[in-house]
Amino acid sequence: MRWFWLDRFSEFVSGSHATAVKCVSLSEDHLEEHWPSYPVMPNTLVAEGMAQCGGLLVSEIYKFGELVVLAKFSKCTFEGGEARPGDVLQYRATIDQVKDFGASVTVKGTVEGRPFSEAEIFFARYSADSSQQTKGRTLFNPVDLLKWLRVVGVFTVGVRPDGTRLREEDYNFA
Amino acid sequence: MSTVSSKQEIFSKVQEALIDALGVDEEEVTPTATLQGDLGAESIDFLDIVFRLEKAFGIKIERGELFPEDILTNTEYVADGKVNSAGIAALKERMPFADLSRFETNPNVQNLGKQLTVQDMCNFVEHKLAA
């Protein structure tokens, strides 16, 4: 199963915020398997989408080259009912704080402008860890990661706070 | 910080940070409650707590300042899982906000985190605000 829970970024500002969309489609297997005859996208997968949106934003701070892992959802609420086929979920992630050991983000999900979900997520940066087991490790194969970032448009819409474009060649995906 | 926070204000903000970080009820966050034992904090929660205290009080907390894990993993200070007298001295210097008297009676490395209380957190913030 492919584990891509956002389709495309529409905005990605380095170190600041990002907006991504997820189109819910009846052709997705999980809709059939969650509640047969009543297709909805499980909120756990919405949470994963919010984490992917915030996680890539945080990972960029560390040049996509370090082991940054989802450590904790400090808060995760759903108030918008169910995500049904045809819905377009929009996730907006904002970086709250960055420290050497990690970063916290707030992600808000909406469907057609209506509040749907909200999460506070904390990501841990393992290179700040003294453990030799995790030091220097990365989460993804760099080639796979680059492919993913291209597909979701990070280098199409991504900019620095001064407005200059994020370019693949500024990162090390070797 | 230009404003001086009263002990009650500090406690209220620390309490709020712990309620949000640990998902516990207000009544559970008493001054004597231990973070790990009574409130169920895990190691990752300490990082979350640091974020919240920084935000709530406008302070900067460096890595290891609240919980000096570097001392607890330093072989100069720890032998057979217990902190030696040099280690205790180092801890006291780094943690003037914490009451380590109970820890000294059985200085097992794992006991330090278990014995940190909500009051210790408040003392830590007070210590930072006064610095």
Side-chain angles (χ1 to χ4, degrees):
Chain A
M1 188 179 191
R2 280 164 297 182
W3 199 249
F4 303 130
W5 295 105
L6 55 86
D7 294 327
R8 192 166 69 193
F9 280 98
S10 53
E11 195 183 16
F12 192 106
V13 182
S14 171
S16 173
H17 62 276
T19 307
V21 294
K22 158 67 188 163
C23 301
V24 185
S25 166
L26 195 53
S27 64
E28 294 173 86
D29 288 343
H30 70 88
L31 284 149
E32 175 62 26
E33 291 160 3
H34 188 49
W35 286 332
S37 310
Y38 188 73
V40 301
M41 177 167 168
N43 283 347
T44 44
L45 293 177
V46 174
E48 174 66 26
M50 291 194 286
Q52 291 189 0
C53 183
L56 289 178
L57 186 65
V58 169
S59 188
E60 194 278 334
I61 297 172
Y62 309 116
K63 296 286 174 194
F64 295 122
E66 296 187 19
L67 183 59
V68 175
V69 297
L70 196 173
K72 164 176 181 183
F73 274 81
S74 305
K75 177 185 163 190
C76 189
T77 56
F78 296 89
E79 56 174 305
E82 296 142 353
R84 309 276 316 266
D87 282 341
V88 178
L89 280 154
Q90 186 174 76
Y91 303 133
R92 185 180 169 87
T94 309
I95 292 182
D96 294 324
Q97 278 169 292
V98 180
K99 292 194 67 71
D100 67 335
F101 55 74
S104 66
V105 298
T106 297
V107 189
K108 290 184 179 178
T110 54
V111 176
E112 290 168 17
R114 174 168 52 85
F116 184 84
S117 56
E118 184 169 347
E120 281 176 27
I121 313 174
F122 172 57
F123 294 90
R125 179 194 185 200
Y126 268 83
S127 62
D129 201 314
S130 55
S131 164
Q132 291 303 319
Q133 282 184 313
T134 49
K135 208 167 195 170
R137 271 182 57 189
T138 55
L139 191 58
F140 299 102
N141 172 314
V143 176
D144 293 340
L145 175 61
L146 176 58
K147 196 173 151 193
W148 184 25
L149 296 174
R150 281 177 181 158
V151 167
V152 294
V154 168
F155 297 112
T156 311
V157 299
V159 292
R160 295 187 188 84
D162 65 6
T164 55
R165 292 279 295 274
L166 298 182
R167 300 179 311 164
E168 286 177 28
E169 50 271 38
D170 294 336
Y171 303 85
N172 181 14
F173 292 106
Chain B
M1 294 259 312
S2 53
T3 51
V4 178
S5 301
S6 72
K7 285 182 192 296
Q8 186 52 43
E9 277 171 346
I10 290 174
F11 177 75
S12 297
K13 285 185 180 178
V14 166
Q15 190 180 41
E16 197 184 331
L18 295 174
I19 289 168
D20 289 343
L22 305 175
V24 289
D25 292 330
E26 192 178 331
E27 307 82 71
E28 295 178 79
V29 189
T30 61
T32 54
T34 59
L35 296 182
Q36 289 190 349
D38 296 329
L39 303 181
E42 295 178 21
S43 60
I44 208 81
D45 294 319
F46 282 94
L47 305 183
D48 190 11
I49 291 166
V50 164
F51 271 117
R52 289 173 194 280
L53 294 181
E54 282 199 345
K55 214 169 170 177
F57 294 99
I59 53 177
K60 282 271 163 243
I61 303 169
E62 300 303 327
R63 189 178 173 84
E65 209 177 342
L66 178 62
F67 194 75
E69 56 207 34
D70 54 312
I71 292 176
L72 300 181
T73 53
N74 187 333
T75 48
E76 271 181 49
Y77 296 135
V78 179
D80 297 328
K82 284 186 186 290
V83 180
N84 60 26
S85 55
I88 297 278
L91 284 175
K92 280 185 177 169
E93 198 186 322
R94 286 274 295 279
M95 303 174 77
F97 53 87
D99 177 8
L100 297 175
S101 54
R102 225 176 110 208
F103 176 70
E104 280 184 82
T105 61
N106 182 14
N108 195 309
V109 168
Q110 283 160 357
N111 288 345
L112 186 65
K114 283 183 193 158
Q115 289 173 5
L116 272 183
T117 62
V118 174
Q119 188 58 50
D120 288 331
M121 292 293 109
C122 295
N123 294 346
F124 171 74
V125 170
E126 207 175 330
H127 169 74
K128 287 290 291 181
L129 290 174

